[in-house]
Amino acid sequence: MKIGIDEMRFVTTPFYLDMVDLANARGEDPNKYLIGIGQDKQAVVPPTQDIVTLGAEAASKLPSEKLKRVRTIILATESGIDNSKASAMYVKHLLKMDDNIRVVELKEACYSATAGLQFAKGLVALEPQNYVLVIAADIARYGLRTPGEVTQGAGAVAMLVSANPHVMTIEPGAVSYSRDLMDFWRPLYATEALVDGKYSTNVYVDFFKHTYGSYIQQTGLQLDDFSALIFHLPFTKMGKKALESLLGERDDAVAQHLREQLKAEQADSRMVGNLYTGSLYLGLMSLVQHGQLQSGDRIGLFSYGSGAEGEFYTGIMQPGFAKHVEKIDEWLKQRTRVDMQKYETMFNQHLGMNDQDVSFDLQHDSSRFLLAGQRNHQRQYVDRNDDKY
Ligand code: CAA
């Protein structure tokens, strides 16, 4: 049975920071951020947004008749809002979905959405009439004036997994690789990630080479069997480092094509920043929109989560795939640019570890789902489309 991704939708916050403004404020050459890191803009997160509002908003854009057939919601994140309760529970409530649904949250840094897709594939194999909703939602926060600041971002990708999918079937034979390493982590008492930046980039490339190499050995496939190789993009230059580790000096037609396809994957990520769990899947959406893909093409996907876990797997694009992947370029242009002062203010307004009652001003955030504040240690969410709002 063919199983894979049937629909894809994306959401980010309504605000962004231009990386030239950030570079100027931090005393860096703008080209370090634009070329050296490969980011143009990053999503700025108002206090009224978290993984629940982002995840619900992305999922709300999926076709309603398909959402009615969802029997499991998997929310993959490393930006959890509760140490016990799954954020998928809030999402299900905001979307007014059936109560006869299994909900769960998954964690292994930026990798867990890929685990979610593989688990979803297993569930669909058992019950092919049902859909699984996999949401990758995160807020990448490193802290003001840290080396990681330029690689921040936020957003959510919502994917439906089904039998006979419209976007991409997931082929068997994925190679996973995990080792206990400290390249990036966030202790329970911290709202910002701790990272050994250079080490993390080296581990990433090593894990890519290892998983890709094992996959090739196992399947006998060659580089020219892939129409594209796409990567988890903590910042877009990271994908280039990984691809070049494979291509080396090669400059033939295959290598040139893969480099062009990588640029297509990077296009939207340059405008949003790191999505942690969602980055690879925003990359797939961006490739569909900007790249050269045809039905029947095989693509290779490298998923990486610090700590650390890597997985290389492949998918086959399905007839009419582009119609089932949201086109996001136009609405990305409608976001509001904020200056450094506004960015830092929003950064510091984050609910974080605050245990007090809080009410946020909702006027400035045009999103459908909003975090209105916190009362009696409970997050308060609202839906602008609700009659009660
Ligand atoms: N013009 C053009 N390029 C320039 C430049 C200029 N004026 N100045 C510097 N550069 C280049 C540098 O040569 C360098 O390029 P290479 O990496 O190709 O050598 C690049 O810009 C970055 O410069 P630095 O190495 O000096 O940057 P830095 O020390 O400030 O840190 C970083 C970079 C380590 C990536 C840091 O941003 C960081 O810690 N980021 C967060 C961690 C991260 O994203 N790790 C990725 C792997 S882990 C993962 O994937 C999981 C996840 O999502 C976090």
Side-chain angles (χ1 to χ4, degrees):
M1 188 194 317
K2 285 182 173 179
I3 302 175
I5 301 173
D6 185 63
E7 299 278 351
M8 300 183 86
R9 302 292 184 272
F10 169 72
V11 85
T12 183
T13 69
F15 306 103
Y16 75 87
L17 179 67
D18 194 289
M19 289 303 93
V20 175
D21 292 347
L22 182 65
N24 289 336
R26 300 297 180 237
E28 297 281 4
D29 177 352
N31 281 339
K32 173 175 174 183
Y33 290 179
L34 302 175
I35 301 166
I37 296 286
Q39 293 302 133
D40 295 328
K41 296 174 180 172
Q42 78 178 215
V44 173
V45 187
T48 40
Q49 293 293 315
D50 66 9
I51 53 161
V52 168
T53 59
L54 292 167
E57 189 121 0
S60 71
K61 299 198 225 171
L62 290 162
S64 56
E65 73 280 6
K66 291 188 178 180
L67 275 181
K68 285 191 190 119
R69 288 173 58 192
V70 167
R71 285 292 161 269
T72 303
I73 305 175
I74 297 172
L75 199 152
T77 188
E78 56 181 296
S79 319
I81 51 146
D82 192 294
N83 286 326
S84 172
K85 182 168 172 171
S87 46
M89 192 70 78
Y90 296 97
V91 170
K92 190 200 78 142
H93 176 81
L94 284 174
L95 295 178
K96 300 183 176 62
M97 291 173 78
D98 203 288
D99 283 344
N100 294 317
I101 287 182
R102 178 189 291 122
V103 294
V104 71
E105 183 171 309
L106 288 188
K107 177 167 68 187
E108 175 20 53
C110 308
Y111 162 73
S112 64
T114 300
L117 287 177
Q118 298 289 9
F119 298 164
K121 191 179 162 197
L123 288 168
V124 171
L126 293 171
E127 295 174 353
Q129 72 281 13
N130 295 336
Y131 284 73
V132 178
L133 171 58
V134 178
I135 300 172
D138 268 304
I139 295 173
R141 263 177 85 88
Y142 287 89
L144 305 176
R145 296 172 199 84
T146 61
E149 185 179 27
V150 60
T151 70
Q152 295 178 140
V157 178
M159 298 175 271
L160 285 174
V161 176
S162 74
N164 302 315
H166 286 98
V167 178
M168 183 187 86
T169 58
I170 297 173
E171 293 192 289
V175 175
S176 316
Y177 182 65
S178 57
R179 283 175 55 208
D180 183 5
L181 301 174
M182 297 304 281
D183 60 328
F184 170 107
W185 67 103
R186 185 164 63 86
L188 286 177
Y189 51 79
T191 53
E192 280 89 51
L194 302 177
V195 60
D196 188 341
K198 293 272 159 53
Y199 177 53
S200 70
T201 61
N202 293 336
V203 175
Y204 177 118
V205 173
D206 287 349
F207 275 41
F208 167 61
K209 288 201 287 197
H210 182 86
T211 52
Y212 175 81
S214 301
Y215 185 88
I216 293 301
Q217 210 173 19
Q218 187 177 289
T219 59
L221 291 173
Q222 316 247 326
L223 207 48
D224 58 4
D225 289 311
F226 296 97
S227 174
L229 292 179
I230 64 171
F231 300 86
H232 164 56
L233 294 177
F235 50 97
T236 70
K237 177 76 161 294
M238 194 66 241
K240 183 170 158 49
K241 284 177 191 279
L243 182 64
E244 293 305 329
S245 77
L246 197 64
L247 298 180
E249 299 296 307
R250 271 185 77 162
D251 198 27
D252 54 281
V254 172
Q256 285 174 17
H257 178 68
L258 291 175
R259 288 190 179 106
E260 285 307 309
Q261 297 283 65
L262 177 65
K263 282 189 200 144
E265 186 213 348
Q266 292 166 326
D268 290 336
S269 185
R270 291 189 76 93
M271 302 294 154
V272 181
N274 197 354
L275 301 188
Y276 288 161
T277 49
S279 289
L280 174 62
Y281 299 99
L282 175 61
L284 175 55
M285 295 178 76
S286 185
L287 174 68
V288 165
Q289 195 167 348
H290 304 283
Q292 299 164 37
L293 280 182
Q294 292 180 347
S295 151
D297 279 355
R298 173 180 288 109
I299 64 169
L301 301 94
F302 175 63
S303 182
Y304 177 77
S306 292
E309 182 151 358
E311 182 164 321
F312 183 83
Y313 73 101
T314 58
I316 304 290
M317 302 312 294
Q318 296 302 294
F321 60 86
K323 284 190 281 192
H324 299 270
V325 176
E326 182 185 4
K327 293 182 179 54
I328 62 176
D329 284 21
E330 281 312 308
W331 69 255
L332 274 184
K333 287 186 200 143
Q334 290 160 22
R335 294 176 297 165
T336 304
R337 179 174 176 171
V338 297
D339 60 18
M340 284 300 295
Q341 194 189 356
K342 186 103 178 154
Y343 150 65
E344 293 198 4
T345 303
M346 285 189 191
F347 189 93
N348 291 324
Q349 283 171 331
H350 175 239
L351 185 57
M353 299 288 175
N354 190 348
D355 62 359
Q356 304 296 306
D357 286 1
V358 185
S359 289
F360 294 128
D361 177 2
L362 306 183
Q363 274 181 40
H364 306 291
D365 185 345
S366 58
S367 310
R368 173 173 167 191
F369 297 108
L370 299 161
L371 174 63
Q374 177 168 269
R375 205 180 315 132
N376 298 327
H377 305 283
Q378 297 174 22
R379 287 187 177 227
Q380 307 293 312
Y381 292 103
V382 295
D383 175 356
R384 277 190 201 281
N385 291 358
D386 220 322
D387 296 341
K388 285 182 278 172
Y389 177 72

